[in-house]
Amino acid sequence: MKKTGLFKIIMFILPILVLLSWIFSASYFTDGELVELGMYHLGFFDYFQLLFASLEFQYFLQILGLFISIGAFYGVLNKTGKYRAWIERIVNNFKGAEIVFLLIVAFAIAAMTSILDYGFTLLIFFPLLISIILAMGYDKITACLATFGAMIVGTIGSTLGAKTAVAIAETVGIDANAGFAYKLALFVLGVIILFVSLSRAKRTKNPKNEENDMFLGEKNTNKYSIVPIIVVFSLLFVIMILGCTQWSTVFKQTIFETIHEKVTTVEFKLPQFNITTDGIDVGMEKIAIFGKLLGNVSAFGNWSYVEMSVMVLIATFVIALFYRIKLKDTYEFMAEGAKKIARPALLVLFIYTVIYFTGNSMFYPTIAKHILGITKEFNLIFTAITTVLGSFLHIDMLYLTSYVIPQISAQSVDGTIIAILSQGLYGVTMFIAPTSAALAFGLSYLGISYKEWVKGTWKQALLLLASVLVVTIISMLII
């Protein structure tokens, strides 16, 4: 598989972050004020300590776990024979209307990200969609643009997304629905730009397409049906909708939390037989048996990468059972799939170290202060530069709302304007920056070099940037 060049770029960025810790003092922004901490010089051994410590961070490992489970899932699917047959059937059904499929996929991903904001969970379905797009004759960049690019466009135009629009609104202290029309405008403009780019994509019968697709599946004629695969994918999709949609935060629905509480707390009087340090305890006791059996699991609406990783692994064994794959072979195929996806997964994990270095050196708030302080009043250009730099260094909205947006929103400007600008510029940065985790996974998965991606999409990136700035300026004139 072709290398992306992103590993070298990150290896170049990390020492620069160490160097910046010797130039800018550490500080943090809290309660509307910047607190000076002095110089936090990172030394030679600090570099390696931070590098290895970041690989133990729980949030990063949860993302890695999801990727590995996806690889294991498709590793088993590859061996069924019917997965490849299903892909070919879909391609044949859209013969002559390939562009329709391409646009439907791109819009669905962008819309789901904008409204429901599933993050990396959507990647469960990306290998399937990419295989179909490549089998239709489209090139790798088109496949990446229609999937990972569409997801980032949905982030730019996040309307109800709990991890983006709602999280930013809570950070800047505004209602979650404030500026909805402007966010919707960002979404519409982003989708139009995406559609124009995809509609110009040409199909070629390139034999290398199969080589570029790590999970196309084997051609294997057998007596089994395609139906089990369709059912499993459908169930995974439904479970993702039920489990990962933040019902209480976005839609103010608490029904699943109520059901979860009732199920996990209902008690039954059951025989008790326990061996303790004091001896054998025998008797009858009321036990919340379902809560004990399920363990520490969140209610639907609060699921994330860990729970969905478990569901993907269960789906893997269900597929193996349907297609009579021996347990030993199942583990072998899972390992093969995990190995295939290891490179993009580890690259994403490595990119997340940028956050760890930035957070531990704490120089960004000092840089942001100097940029924002160039003018006494709110300035769109300097605020945009600060936001792009913060997005480049923090790469995940979870950290952007903690370490970047509070300082930007402290300026004398309406919070809605900051919200629109923040989500828009964060998305644009993730569309083109080498520190974009979603982009890095897509490029590595498809074997696209970063240089090739920039060369093929820089015009779209500029149009997306222009859209964000225009919508923000309009909001400044109206709000």
Side-chain angles (χ1 to χ4, degrees):
M1 182 180 291
K2 187 176 180 180
K3 295 182 179 179
T4 64
L6 287 173
F7 181 80
K8 292 181 180 178
I9 294 174
I10 301 303
M11 284 297 292
F12 177 74
I13 291 174
L14 293 180
I16 291 178
L17 300 182
V18 172
L19 177 62
L20 289 174
S21 73
W22 286 74
I23 300 173
F24 296 95
S25 66
S27 60
Y28 68 94
F29 192 83
T30 182
D31 297 328
E33 295 183 359
L34 191 68
V35 179
E36 176 68 37
L37 297 174
M39 301 302 295
Y40 275 20
H41 296 140
L42 296 180
F44 178 77
F45 283 101
D46 295 324
Y47 176 90
F48 294 98
Q49 288 173 357
L50 288 176
L51 190 61
F52 287 108
S54 65
L55 300 179
E56 300 175 356
F57 203 58
Q58 184 180 8
Y59 179 62
F60 302 167
L61 293 179
Q62 288 177 2
I63 296 173
L64 177 64
L66 175 65
F67 292 161
I68 296 301
S69 67
I70 292 172
F73 175 58
Y74 281 92
V76 173
L77 279 173
N78 270 7
K79 303 298 182 178
T80 62
K82 292 304 179 181
Y83 175 64
R84 175 71 172 266
W86 185 34
I87 291 173
E88 292 176 348
R89 179 178 294 185
I90 295 173
V91 172
N92 289 332
N93 288 339
F94 280 91
K95 194 170 184 178
E98 290 83 0
I99 186 63
V100 175
F101 179 85
L102 197 65
L103 296 182
I104 289 174
V105 167
F107 179 80
I109 292 173
M112 290 182 69
T113 303
S114 172
I115 300 170
L116 303 173
D117 212 353
Y118 293 129
F120 288 126
T121 307
L122 273 179
L123 268 61
I124 294 171
F125 307 97
F126 278 19
L128 169 63
L129 298 173
I130 288 172
S131 293
I132 296 170
I133 293 170
L134 291 177
M136 286 179 171
Y138 289 107
D139 62 17
K140 296 180 295 181
I141 290 186
T142 300
C144 190
L145 193 61
T147 50
F148 295 94
M151 186 168 69
I152 295 172
V153 165
T155 300
I156 293 174
S158 180
T159 51
L160 299 174
K163 297 176 182 176
T164 305
V166 175
I168 293 174
E170 291 176 351
T171 301
V172 301
I174 60 174
D175 185 84
N177 293 320
F180 181 85
Y182 302 104
K183 297 171 186 176
L184 182 60
L186 285 178
F187 174 77
V188 172
L189 290 172
V191 169
I192 290 173
I193 293 169
L194 184 64
F195 274 19
V196 171
S197 300
L198 293 175
S199 63
R200 294 177 178 176
K202 296 180 180 179
R203 295 190 306 114
T204 57
K205 294 182 179 180
N206 189 346
K208 288 187 177 181
N209 271 8
E210 290 194 12
E211 298 176 12
N212 295 328
D213 189 354
M214 65 173 72
F215 292 121
L216 178 58
E218 296 180 354
K219 286 187 175 181
N220 181 14
T221 303
N222 55 52
K223 63 181 181 179
Y224 300 114
S225 170
I226 296 175
V227 174
I229 295 178
I230 299 174
V231 170
V232 167
F233 269 100
S234 300
L235 288 175
L236 278 175
F237 185 77
V238 171
I239 290 171
M240 182 186 72
I241 296 292
L242 293 175
C244 299
T245 301
Q246 298 198 17
W247 300 104
S248 60
T249 303
V250 178
F251 300 104
K252 310 304 178 186
Q253 296 293 326
T254 59
I255 183 172
F256 291 116
E257 293 178 355
T258 302
I259 294 173
H260 177 268
E261 183 180 359
K262 289 182 178 180
V263 169
T264 56
T265 59
V266 62
E267 294 182 337
F268 296 91
K269 197 169 185 179
L270 299 171
Q272 178 192 28
F273 180 86
N274 298 323
I275 300 177
T276 68
T277 55
D278 297 326
I280 300 176
D281 185 11
V282 181
M284 299 293 290
E285 183 181 357
K286 283 188 175 182
I287 301 175
I289 186 64
F290 294 117
K292 294 287 186 181
L293 290 175
L294 290 173
N296 187 23
V297 61
S298 301
F300 277 170
N302 298 301
W303 280 26
S304 190
Y305 302 137
V306 174
E307 292 85 356
M308 287 308 300
S309 297
V310 173
M311 292 298 103
V312 172
L313 290 176
I314 292 175
T316 303
F317 287 104
V318 170
I319 288 291
L321 183 64
F322 270 121
Y323 290 96
R324 304 293 192 272
I325 301 175
K326 295 180 181 179
L327 187 61
K328 179 182 177 182
D329 293 334
T330 300
Y331 287 131
E332 181 182 338
F333 300 154
M334 289 173 68
E336 288 179 12
K339 184 179 179 180
K340 285 182 179 181
I341 215 167
R343 176 180 285 180
L346 291 174
L347 178 61
V348 170
L349 187 63
F350 184 57
I351 284 176
Y352 265 93
T353 62
V354 173
I355 296 175
Y356 210 73
F357 273 69
T358 303
N360 279 274
S361 55
M362 301 178 71
F363 60 78
Y364 169 79
T366 302
I367 295 177
K369 176 188 176 183
H370 287 293
I371 297 175
L372 296 174
I374 293 175
T375 57
K376 293 182 179 180
E377 301 296 329
F378 171 79
N379 183 280
L380 177 60
I381 300 301
F382 295 136
T383 303
I385 293 172
T386 307
T387 306
V388 169
L389 178 61
S391 301
F392 183 93
L393 294 174
H394 295 84
I395 80 174
D396 192 301
M397 185 54 71
L398 175 66
Y399 298 93
L400 210 72
T401 51
S402 299
Y403 303 114
V404 178
I405 296 177
Q407 189 172 358
I408 295 173
S409 64
Q411 301 177 90
S412 56
V413 63
D414 193 286
T416 304
I417 295 172
I418 294 296
I420 295 166
L421 185 66
S422 296
Q423 74 175 53
L425 290 182
Y426 167 74
V428 173
T429 305
M430 294 302 100
F431 187 85
I432 202 71
T435 55
S436 170
L439 177 62
F441 188 94
L443 297 185
S444 182
Y445 182 93
L446 284 158
I448 304 170
S449 71
Y450 179 66
K451 181 180 179 181
E452 187 180 356
W453 172 260
V454 172
K455 184 178 179 180
T457 62
W458 67 271
K459 292 181 181 178
Q460 291 93 319
L462 286 179
L463 288 172
L464 289 171
L465 175 61
S467 299
V468 172
L469 294 178
V470 168
V471 171
T472 304
I473 290 172
I474 292 174
S475 69
M476 291 172 62
L477 295 173
I478 296 176
I479 296 177

